[in-house]
mmCIF file of all heavy atoms in Angstrom:
data_model
loop_
_atom_site.group_PDB
_atom_site.id
_atom_site.type_symbol
_atom_site.label_atom_id
_atom_site.label_comp_id
_atom_site.label_asym_id
_atom_site.label_seq_id
_atom_site.Cartn_x
_atom_site.Cartn_y
_atom_site.Cartn_z
ATOM 1 N N PRO A 54 -36.013 2.467 57.051
ATOM 2 C CA PRO A 54 -35.593 2.500 58.389
ATOM 3 C C PRO A 54 -34.729 3.687 58.603
ATOM 4 O O PRO A 54 -33.953 4.048 57.758
ATOM 5 C CB PRO A 54 -34.753 1.198 58.511
ATOM 6 C CG PRO A 54 -35.308 0.367 57.463
ATOM 7 C CD PRO A 54 -35.571 1.185 56.352
ATOM 8 N N LYS A 55 -34.854 4.264 59.688
ATOM 9 C CA LYS A 55 -34.063 5.594 60.053
ATOM 10 C C LYS A 55 -32.555 5.306 59.836
ATOM 11 O O LYS A 55 -31.799 6.252 59.500
ATOM 12 C CB LYS A 55 -34.360 5.990 61.531
ATOM 13 C CG LYS A 55 -34.328 7.461 61.715
ATOM 14 C CD LYS A 55 -34.767 7.714 63.190
ATOM 15 C CE LYS A 55 -35.013 9.189 63.140
ATOM 16 N NZ LYS A 55 -35.505 9.634 64.509
ATOM 17 N N THR A 56 -32.044 4.119 60.177
ATOM 18 C CA THR A 56 -30.673 3.834 59.981
ATOM 19 C C THR A 56 -30.218 3.718 58.577
ATOM 20 O O THR A 56 -28.996 3.706 58.297
ATOM 21 C CB THR A 56 -30.414 2.526 60.690
ATOM 22 O OG1 THR A 56 -31.249 1.389 60.196
ATOM 23 C CG2 THR A 56 -30.557 2.581 62.219
ATOM 24 N N LEU A 57 -31.202 3.672 57.651
ATOM 25 C CA LEU A 57 -30.973 3.665 56.181
ATOM 26 C C LEU A 57 -31.187 4.871 55.376
ATOM 27 O O LEU A 57 -31.229 4.855 54.195
ATOM 28 C CB LEU A 57 -31.539 2.363 55.661
ATOM 29 C CG LEU A 57 -31.118 1.025 56.116
ATOM 30 C CD1 LEU A 57 -31.852 -0.127 55.530
ATOM 31 C CD2 LEU A 57 -29.624 0.809 56.141
ATOM 32 N N ILE A 58 -31.439 5.977 56.129
ATOM 33 C CA ILE A 58 -31.711 7.276 55.495
ATOM 34 C C ILE A 58 -30.542 8.075 55.833
ATOM 35 O O ILE A 58 -30.065 8.167 56.985
ATOM 36 C CB ILE A 58 -33.107 7.980 55.983
ATOM 37 C CG1 ILE A 58 -34.180 6.989 55.761
ATOM 38 C CG2 ILE A 58 -33.211 9.278 55.371
ATOM 39 C CD1 ILE A 58 -34.612 6.836 54.364
ATOM 40 N N PRO A 59 -29.957 8.778 54.876
ATOM 41 C CA PRO A 59 -28.693 9.528 55.203
ATOM 42 C C PRO A 59 -28.878 10.639 56.153
ATOM 43 O O PRO A 59 -29.961 11.296 56.135
ATOM 44 C CB PRO A 59 -28.393 10.240 53.713
ATOM 45 C CG PRO A 59 -29.048 9.244 52.775
ATOM 46 C CD PRO A 59 -30.286 8.792 53.472
ATOM 47 N N MET A 60 -27.996 10.771 57.080
ATOM 48 C CA MET A 60 -28.064 11.708 58.187
ATOM 49 C C MET A 60 -28.243 13.136 57.683
ATOM 50 O O MET A 60 -28.925 13.868 58.278
ATOM 51 C CB MET A 60 -26.833 11.574 59.094
ATOM 52 C CG MET A 60 -26.776 10.462 59.878
ATOM 53 S SD MET A 60 -28.207 10.156 60.877
ATOM 54 C CE MET A 60 -28.167 11.625 62.004
ATOM 55 N N ASP A 61 -27.578 13.586 56.612
ATOM 56 C CA ASP A 61 -27.794 14.835 56.029
ATOM 57 C C ASP A 61 -29.176 15.108 55.656
ATOM 58 O O ASP A 61 -29.780 16.189 55.857
ATOM 59 C CB ASP A 61 -26.772 15.225 54.938
ATOM 60 C CG ASP A 61 -27.008 14.188 53.698
ATOM 61 O OD1 ASP A 61 -27.416 13.036 53.778
ATOM 62 O OD2 ASP A 61 -26.556 14.628 52.551
ATOM 63 N N ILE A 62 -29.907 14.090 55.037
ATOM 64 C CA ILE A 62 -31.243 14.294 54.663
ATOM 65 C C ILE A 62 -32.073 14.343 55.961
ATOM 66 O O ILE A 62 -33.059 15.161 55.972
ATOM 67 C CB ILE A 62 -31.664 13.185 53.716
ATOM 68 C CG1 ILE A 62 -30.895 13.308 52.328
ATOM 69 C CG2 ILE A 62 -33.198 13.207 53.515
ATOM 70 C CD1 ILE A 62 -31.147 12.172 51.458
ATOM 71 N N LEU A 63 -31.916 13.463 56.932
ATOM 72 C CA LEU A 63 -32.669 13.427 58.232
ATOM 73 C C LEU A 63 -32.548 14.768 58.914
ATOM 74 O O LEU A 63 -33.476 15.166 59.506
ATOM 75 C CB LEU A 63 -32.210 12.297 59.072
ATOM 76 C CG LEU A 63 -32.706 10.894 58.691
ATOM 77 C CD1 LEU A 63 -32.019 9.912 59.572
ATOM 78 C CD2 LEU A 63 -34.142 10.887 58.703
ATOM 79 N N ARG A 64 -31.318 15.366 58.815
ATOM 80 C CA ARG A 64 -31.092 16.704 59.500
ATOM 81 C C ARG A 64 -31.750 17.808 58.681
ATOM 82 O O ARG A 64 -31.965 18.924 59.294
ATOM 83 C CB ARG A 64 -29.575 16.982 59.674
ATOM 84 C CG ARG A 64 -28.909 16.186 60.652
ATOM 85 C CD ARG A 64 -27.473 16.755 60.910
ATOM 86 N NE ARG A 64 -26.759 16.921 59.634
ATOM 87 C CZ ARG A 64 -25.843 16.074 59.211
ATOM 88 N NH1 ARG A 64 -25.535 15.025 59.923
ATOM 89 N NH2 ARG A 64 -25.224 16.284 58.095
ATOM 90 N N GLY A 65 -32.117 17.570 57.453
ATOM 91 C CA GLY A 65 -32.731 18.569 56.620
ATOM 92 C C GLY A 65 -31.615 19.285 55.839
ATOM 93 O O GLY A 65 -32.054 20.256 55.087
ATOM 94 N N ASP A 66 -30.412 18.839 55.942
ATOM 95 C CA ASP A 66 -29.450 19.494 55.009
ATOM 96 C C ASP A 66 -29.741 19.176 53.513
ATOM 97 O O ASP A 66 -29.466 20.040 52.687
ATOM 98 C CB ASP A 66 -28.021 18.917 55.358
ATOM 99 C CG ASP A 66 -27.646 19.195 56.814
ATOM 100 O OD1 ASP A 66 -28.315 20.017 57.471
ATOM 101 O OD2 ASP A 66 -26.650 18.646 57.234
ATOM 102 N N LYS A 67 -30.183 18.095 53.294
ATOM 103 C CA LYS A 67 -30.487 17.584 51.987
ATOM 104 C C LYS A 67 -29.335 17.749 51.034
ATOM 105 O O LYS A 67 -28.296 16.977 51.027
ATOM 106 C CB LYS A 67 -31.709 18.182 51.394
ATOM 107 C CG LYS A 67 -32.999 17.745 52.186
ATOM 108 C CD LYS A 67 -34.242 18.351 51.585
ATOM 109 C CE LYS A 67 -35.470 17.973 52.372
ATOM 110 N NZ LYS A 67 -36.602 18.766 52.118
ATOM 111 N N PHE A 68 -29.371 18.718 50.205
ATOM 112 C CA PHE A 68 -28.428 18.824 49.121
ATOM 113 C C PHE A 68 -27.986 20.239 48.984
ATOM 114 O O PHE A 68 -28.676 21.258 49.388
ATOM 115 C CB PHE A 68 -28.962 18.319 47.780
ATOM 116 C CG PHE A 68 -29.467 16.946 47.657
ATOM 117 C CD1 PHE A 68 -30.574 16.479 48.206
ATOM 118 C CD2 PHE A 68 -28.620 15.815 47.283
ATOM 119 C CE1 PHE A 68 -31.053 15.172 48.231
ATOM 120 C CE2 PHE A 68 -29.037 14.551 47.320
ATOM 121 C CZ PHE A 68 -30.242 14.238 47.752
ATOM 122 N N SER A 69 -26.964 20.553 48.257
ATOM 123 C CA SER A 69 -26.464 21.919 48.201
ATOM 124 C C SER A 69 -27.372 22.733 47.250
ATOM 125 O O SER A 69 -27.588 23.961 47.522
ATOM 126 C CB SER A 69 -25.027 21.970 47.602
ATOM 127 O OG SER A 69 -25.090 21.362 46.286
#
Side-chain angles (χ1 to χ4, degrees):
K55 206 173 201 176
T56 55
L57 298 180
I58 302 292
M60 288 305 297
D61 59 337
I62 293 174
L63 284 173
R64 284 191 311 263
D66 300 347
K67 292 183 185 167
F68 301 85
S69 58

